[in-house]
Amino acid sequence: MADDKSKTKQDRKPAAGEEPYDVAAFAKKYGIPPSEAATIIKRYGPSRKKLDAHMASRNA
């Protein structure tokens, strides 16, 4: 069966590892208060790579 042409990019989602963090998920993963997570995300952006790198260097 042919692809449904009415379904476009909006129906496709990026891989889970590439999706940006939301405050609750980031806070839960690193065991920090949501207010602190929000501040970090605001400073470094929602990129998982950047935030994970920041938290790795912070805990080193």
Side-chain angles (χ1 to χ4, degrees):
M1 178 177 255
D3 288 340
D4 185 353
K5 300 299 180 188
S6 67
K7 297 184 187 258
T8 60
K9 291 180 184 178
Q10 67 201 20
D11 295 321
R12 298 178 186 152
K13 293 184 179 179
E18 295 175 8
E19 290 182 6
Y21 272 124
D22 64 62
V23 174
F26 184 69
K28 183 177 179 182
K29 180 175 181 175
Y30 290 103
I32 59 176
S35 59
E36 184 179 353
T39 302
I40 293 169
I41 291 172
K42 187 174 183 178
R43 174 179 264 176
Y44 294 98
S47 166
R48 285 182 180 263
K49 286 183 181 181
K50 287 181 183 178
L51 292 170
D52 289 338
H54 168 71
M55 293 304 287
S57 66
R58 177 178 154 172
N59 294 332

